[in-house]
Amino acid sequence: MQVTLRIQRFDPERDEKPHFEEYQADVEPTDRLLDALNYVKWYVDGSLAYRRSCAHGICGSDAMRVNGRNRLACKVLVRDLGNPITVAPMLSFQLIKDLVVDMEPFFAKYRALKPYLIADDPPPEKERLQSPVDRERYEDTTKCILCACCTTSCPPFWANGDFYGPAAIVNAHRFIFDSRDHGADERLATLNERNGIWRCRTVFNCTEACPRGIKVTEAMEDVKRALMLRNI
Ligand code: SF4
Ligand code: FES
């Protein structure tokens, strides 16, 4: 089948502002949008810029706005997207070129919430044990691939780019509720600040956008409850 792609283009060396261009791609109905983008890049216009790596929904690098919704290009089939398909970069991040945005501020927020085990007790001889029930507490948020679909679909983040945003909080959740971790108070104190968890308005865009099916809004509510119960 032939599909028309309306792709937002922007070359900082030539263009004053972004604009849309149309391309035809020969694809199978069961091809992913990423295959259609590859067709355009490989056979029509090699200057098209977008990120991708694994092509299997694991690396999180090909998040973009597809018909107005954040999606991974490698996880949506062209037959499910209608014709034409409109493709644009994620909102709220600085545009670098075409579909490529600057992710550095996103990762800075992720790092700021200390997404690693903080354990100040002496390490055991073998490993830090945990019961299956305790492990289950944060199972859902271990699935994050840091694609930023949630954060860039979040209206409070559109309004205030200093908000940590759902993705950073999902990854804080993964350690706040880990029974072996001792850094929860520190992370929760940061999330109690001006640009922390209370900016969340439970819009649920984040949950809808997550390609890993993580209950993002529920994780945000877990963190709010933890803050209220600890009264930090
Ligand atoms: Fe992507 Fe989901 Fe992680 Fe957000 S929570 S960064 S949407 S995988
Ligand atoms: Fe890795 Fe799509 S290319 S998630």
Side-chain angles (χ1 to χ4, degrees):
M1 68 184 274
Q2 237 197 15
V3 71
T4 302
L5 298 177
R6 290 185 68 244
I7 304 177
Q8 183 176 309
R9 302 296 308 266
F10 173 67
D11 181 344
E13 293 181 358
R14 279 204 324 243
D15 303 326
E16 280 191 9
K17 55 181 186 179
H19 60 282
F20 280 90
E21 289 186 22
E22 283 196 2
Y23 303 89
Q24 306 300 316
D26 282 325
V27 290
E28 298 295 327
T30 48
D31 278 345
R32 293 89 40 90
L33 175 61
L34 181 60
D35 299 309
L37 290 172
N38 288 340
Y39 182 95
V40 172
K41 185 167 179 71
W42 296 341
Y43 302 113
V44 184
D45 185 346
S47 71
L48 178 64
Y50 51 97
R51 287 196 181 100
R52 79 284 191 200
S53 182
C54 71
H56 287 87
I58 298 300
C59 72
S61 60
D62 60 342
M64 54 190 73
R65 251 182 317 146
V66 181
N67 294 340
R69 287 171 181 265
N70 283 353
R71 296 285 180 258
L72 295 181
C74 66
K75 278 200 82 173
V76 282
L77 303 183
V78 288
R79 71 176 180 203
D80 296 330
L81 294 173
N83 197 1
I85 303 169
T86 303
V87 185
M90 288 185 288
L91 292 171
S92 291
F93 290 159
Q94 195 182 340
L95 195 52
I96 295 178
K97 185 172 188 284
D98 297 335
L99 303 174
V100 177
V101 292
D102 180 7
M103 298 284 288
E104 186 42 42
F106 171 79
F107 287 115
K109 292 193 179 82
Y110 162 71
R111 289 191 296 267
L113 293 177
K114 307 194 175 189
Y116 42 82
L117 191 79
I118 299 172
D120 44 23
D121 51 340
E125 203 170 303
K126 281 192 177 165
E127 58 187 308
R128 296 180 193 277
L129 295 175
Q130 184 169 57
S131 74
V133 171
D134 285 344
R135 175 64 176 77
E136 185 60 30
R137 185 73 186 85
Y138 61 89
E139 165 63 21
D140 199 33
T141 46
T142 62
K143 294 186 281 186
C144 179
I145 54 172
L146 289 169
C147 65
C149 281
C150 54
T151 295
T152 57
S153 66
C154 169
F157 184 76
W158 298 339
N160 172 12
D162 291 331
F163 173 35
Y164 282 98
I169 296 171
V170 157
N171 286 279
H173 177 287
R174 184 256 169 267
F175 289 98
I176 287 170
F177 294 98
D178 187 326
S179 59
R180 302 162 301 179
D181 184 89
H182 302 147
D185 287 347
E186 199 182 339
R187 295 188 196 92
L188 287 170
T190 307
L191 285 170
N192 206 21
E193 290 171 1
R194 184 180 168 79
N195 293 311
I197 188 76
W198 305 112
R199 295 232 168 236
C200 169
R201 296 287 183 271
T202 47
V203 179
F204 278 88
N205 279 12
C206 51
T207 302
E208 195 278 334
C210 180
R212 300 285 291 163
I214 297 171
K215 297 184 188 82
V216 181
T217 315
E218 201 171 300
M220 307 280 279
E221 295 303 294
D222 277 349
V223 172
K224 288 177 191 171
R225 261 192 305 275
L227 256 173
M228 288 190 289
L229 291 173
R230 288 176 186 232
N231 200 19
I232 284 173

PDB file of all heavy atoms in Angstrom, residues 106 143-150 167 170 209-212 214 216, ligand 1:
ATOM      1  N   PHE A 106      15.530  16.624  30.123  1.00  0.00           N
ATOM      2  CA  PHE A 106      14.712  15.491  30.575  1.00  0.00           C
ATOM      3  C   PHE A 106      15.560  14.544  31.421  1.00  0.00           C
ATOM      4  O   PHE A 106      15.174  14.139  32.525  1.00  0.00           O
ATOM      5  CB  PHE A 106      14.149  14.777  29.338  1.00  0.00           C
ATOM      6  CG  PHE A 106      13.453  13.482  29.593  1.00  0.00           C
ATOM      7  CD1 PHE A 106      12.148  13.457  30.061  1.00  0.00           C
ATOM      8  CD2 PHE A 106      14.095  12.269  29.347  1.00  0.00           C
ATOM      9  CE1 PHE A 106      11.488  12.248  30.285  1.00  0.00           C
ATOM     10  CE2 PHE A 106      13.443  11.062  29.573  1.00  0.00           C
ATOM     11  CZ  PHE A 106      12.144  11.057  30.042  1.00  0.00           C
ATOM     12  N   LYS A 143       9.406  -0.905  34.511  1.00  0.00           N
ATOM     13  CA  LYS A 143       9.284  -1.143  33.061  1.00  0.00           C
ATOM     14  C   LYS A 143       9.605   0.078  32.209  1.00  0.00           C
ATOM     15  O   LYS A 143       9.561   0.025  30.992  1.00  0.00           O
ATOM     16  CB  LYS A 143       7.854  -1.621  32.752  1.00  0.00           C
ATOM     17  CG  LYS A 143       7.543  -2.983  33.355  1.00  0.00           C
ATOM     18  CD  LYS A 143       6.194  -3.519  32.924  1.00  0.00           C
ATOM     19  CE  LYS A 143       5.067  -2.908  33.677  1.00  0.00           C
ATOM     20  NZ  LYS A 143       3.751  -3.441  33.427  1.00  0.00           N
ATOM     21  N   CYS A 144       9.890   1.207  32.866  1.00  0.00           N
ATOM     22  CA  CYS A 144      10.097   2.459  32.119  1.00  0.00           C
ATOM     23  C   CYS A 144      11.321   2.372  31.207  1.00  0.00           C
ATOM     24  O   CYS A 144      12.375   1.874  31.604  1.00  0.00           O
ATOM     25  CB  CYS A 144      10.266   3.614  33.101  1.00  0.00           C
ATOM     26  SG  CYS A 144      10.551   5.179  32.255  1.00  0.00           S
ATOM     27  N   ILE A 145      11.171   2.876  29.986  1.00  0.00           N
ATOM     28  CA  ILE A 145      12.291   2.905  29.032  1.00  0.00           C
ATOM     29  C   ILE A 145      12.715   4.350  28.727  1.00  0.00           C
ATOM     30  O   ILE A 145      13.426   4.601  27.752  1.00  0.00           O
ATOM     31  CB  ILE A 145      11.940   2.166  27.721  1.00  0.00           C
ATOM     32  CG1 ILE A 145      10.644   2.723  27.107  1.00  0.00           C
ATOM     33  CG2 ILE A 145      11.849   0.668  27.969  1.00  0.00           C
ATOM     34  CD1 ILE A 145      10.327   2.175  25.727  1.00  0.00           C
ATOM     35  N   LEU A 146      12.238   5.304  29.538  1.00  0.00           N
ATOM     36  CA  LEU A 146      12.672   6.707  29.428  1.00  0.00           C
ATOM     37  C   LEU A 146      12.468   7.284  28.028  1.00  0.00           C
ATOM     38  O   LEU A 146      13.341   7.962  27.492  1.00  0.00           O
ATOM     39  CB  LEU A 146      14.151   6.820  29.858  1.00  0.00           C
ATOM     40  CG  LEU A 146      14.379   6.636  31.351  1.00  0.00           C
ATOM     41  CD1 LEU A 146      15.861   6.490  31.645  1.00  0.00           C
ATOM     42  CD2 LEU A 146      13.770   7.765  32.152  1.00  0.00           C
ATOM     43  N   CYS A 147      11.287   7.008  27.477  1.00  0.00           N
ATOM     44  CA  CYS A 147      11.016   7.520  26.131  1.00  0.00           C
ATOM     45  C   CYS A 147      10.528   8.973  26.147  1.00  0.00           C
ATOM     46  O   CYS A 147      10.574   9.661  25.134  1.00  0.00           O
ATOM     47  CB  CYS A 147       9.967   6.644  25.454  1.00  0.00           C
ATOM     48  SG  CYS A 147       8.348   6.697  26.253  1.00  0.00           S
ATOM     49  N   ALA A 148       9.979   9.413  27.295  1.00  0.00           N
ATOM     50  CA  ALA A 148       9.465  10.781  27.486  1.00  0.00           C
ATOM     51  C   ALA A 148       8.069  10.998  26.908  1.00  0.00           C
ATOM     52  O   ALA A 148       7.581  12.125  26.900  1.00  0.00           O
ATOM     53  CB  ALA A 148      10.425  11.843  26.942  1.00  0.00           C
ATOM     54  N   CYS A 149       7.414   9.937  26.445  1.00  0.00           N
ATOM     55  CA  CYS A 149       6.029  10.103  25.947  1.00  0.00           C
ATOM     56  C   CYS A 149       5.131  10.689  27.030  1.00  0.00           C
ATOM     57  O   CYS A 149       4.257  11.509  26.742  1.00  0.00           O
ATOM     58  CB  CYS A 149       5.464   8.757  25.499  1.00  0.00           C
ATOM     59  SG  CYS A 149       6.025   8.237  23.874  1.00  0.00           S
ATOM     60  N   CYS A 150       5.321  10.236  28.277  1.00  0.00           N
ATOM     61  CA  CYS A 150       4.442  10.712  29.353  1.00  0.00           C
ATOM     62  C   CYS A 150       4.708  12.190  29.659  1.00  0.00           C
ATOM     63  O   CYS A 150       3.784  13.011  29.675  1.00  0.00           O
ATOM     64  CB  CYS A 150       4.640   9.860  30.607  1.00  0.00           C
ATOM     65  SG  CYS A 150       6.346   9.747  31.180  1.00  0.00           S
ATOM     66  N   ALA A 167       7.915  11.094  33.963  1.00  0.00           N
ATOM     67  CA  ALA A 167       8.958  10.064  33.765  1.00  0.00           C
ATOM     68  C   ALA A 167       9.963  10.066  34.913  1.00  0.00           C
ATOM     69  O   ALA A 167      10.327   9.002  35.437  1.00  0.00           O
ATOM     70  CB  ALA A 167       9.675  10.289  32.436  1.00  0.00           C
ATOM     71  N   VAL A 170       8.201   8.567  37.934  1.00  0.00           N
ATOM     72  CA  VAL A 170       8.066   7.101  37.803  1.00  0.00           C
ATOM     73  C   VAL A 170       9.367   6.415  38.234  1.00  0.00           C
ATOM     74  O   VAL A 170       9.355   5.402  38.954  1.00  0.00           O
ATOM     75  CB  VAL A 170       7.710   6.728  36.338  1.00  0.00           C
ATOM     76  CG1 VAL A 170       8.094   5.285  36.008  1.00  0.00           C
ATOM     77  CG2 VAL A 170       6.218   6.943  36.089  1.00  0.00           C
ATOM     78  N   ALA A 209      -0.368   7.731  27.214  1.00  0.00           N
ATOM     79  CA  ALA A 209       0.749   7.820  26.268  1.00  0.00           C
ATOM     80  C   ALA A 209       1.797   6.718  26.470  1.00  0.00           C
ATOM     81  O   ALA A 209       2.559   6.431  25.549  1.00  0.00           O
ATOM     82  CB  ALA A 209       1.429   9.192  26.402  1.00  0.00           C
ATOM     83  N   CYS A 210       1.827   6.112  27.641  1.00  0.00           N
ATOM     84  CA  CYS A 210       2.965   5.224  27.964  1.00  0.00           C
ATOM     85  C   CYS A 210       2.963   3.966  27.097  1.00  0.00           C
ATOM     86  O   CYS A 210       2.044   3.145  27.170  1.00  0.00           O
ATOM     87  CB  CYS A 210       2.937   4.829  29.438  1.00  0.00           C
ATOM     88  SG  CYS A 210       4.324   3.744  29.844  1.00  0.00           S
ATOM     89  N   PRO A 211       3.990   3.755  26.288  1.00  0.00           N
ATOM     90  CA  PRO A 211       4.028   2.574  25.415  1.00  0.00           C
ATOM     91  C   PRO A 211       4.314   1.289  26.176  1.00  0.00           C
ATOM     92  O   PRO A 211       4.189   0.199  25.620  1.00  0.00           O
ATOM     93  CB  PRO A 211       5.181   2.893  24.450  1.00  0.00           C
ATOM     94  CG  PRO A 211       6.066   3.809  25.210  1.00  0.00           C
ATOM     95  CD  PRO A 211       5.166   4.613  26.117  1.00  0.00           C
ATOM     96  N   ARG A 212       4.692   1.398  27.449  1.00  0.00           N
ATOM     97  CA  ARG A 212       4.955   0.204  28.253  1.00  0.00           C
ATOM     98  C   ARG A 212       3.756  -0.169  29.123  1.00  0.00           C
ATOM     99  O   ARG A 212       3.854  -1.094  29.929  1.00  0.00           O
ATOM    100  CB  ARG A 212       6.182   0.453  29.146  1.00  0.00           C
ATOM    101  CG  ARG A 212       7.446   0.769  28.370  1.00  0.00           C
ATOM    102  CD  ARG A 212       8.035  -0.452  27.722  1.00  0.00           C
ATOM    103  NE  ARG A 212       8.565  -1.348  28.729  1.00  0.00           N
ATOM    104  CZ  ARG A 212       8.864  -2.629  28.523  1.00  0.00           C
ATOM    105  NH1 ARG A 212       8.649  -3.154  27.333  1.00  0.00           N
ATOM    106  NH2 ARG A 212       9.348  -3.368  29.485  1.00  0.00           N
ATOM    107  N   ILE A 214       2.582   1.337  31.637  1.00  0.00           N
ATOM    108  CA  ILE A 214       2.775   1.639  33.065  1.00  0.00           C
ATOM    109  C   ILE A 214       1.604   2.501  33.544  1.00  0.00           C
ATOM    110  O   ILE A 214       1.171   3.416  32.841  1.00  0.00           O
ATOM    111  CB  ILE A 214       4.114   2.381  33.277  1.00  0.00           C
ATOM    112  CG1 ILE A 214       5.277   1.475  32.867  1.00  0.00           C
ATOM    113  CG2 ILE A 214       4.272   2.840  34.732  1.00  0.00           C
ATOM    114  CD1 ILE A 214       6.624   2.180  32.826  1.00  0.00           C
ATOM    115  N   VAL A 216       1.016   5.208  35.040  1.00  0.00           N
ATOM    116  CA  VAL A 216       1.839   6.356  35.445  1.00  0.00           C
ATOM    117  C   VAL A 216       1.104   7.222  36.473  1.00  0.00           C
ATOM    118  O   VAL A 216       1.677   7.599  37.507  1.00  0.00           O
ATOM    119  CB  VAL A 216       2.246   7.203  34.213  1.00  0.00           C
ATOM    120  CG1 VAL A 216       3.120   8.366  34.630  1.00  0.00           C
ATOM    121  CG2 VAL A 216       2.965   6.335  33.179  1.00  0.00           C
TER     122      VAL A 216
HETATM  123 FE1  SF4 B   1       8.017   6.349  28.521  1.00  0.00          FE
HETATM  124 FE2  SF4 B   1       6.151   5.170  30.102  1.00  0.00          FE
HETATM  125 FE3  SF4 B   1       8.646   5.645  31.057  1.00  0.00          FE
HETATM  126 FE4  SF4 B   1       6.986   7.678  30.633  1.00  0.00          FE
HETATM  127  S1  SF4 B   1       6.696   6.021  32.126  1.00  0.00           S
HETATM  128  S2  SF4 B   1       9.145   7.606  30.039  1.00  0.00           S
HETATM  129  S3  SF4 B   1       5.875   6.992  28.818  1.00  0.00           S
HETATM  130  S4  SF4 B   1       8.069   4.251  29.368  1.00  0.00           S
END
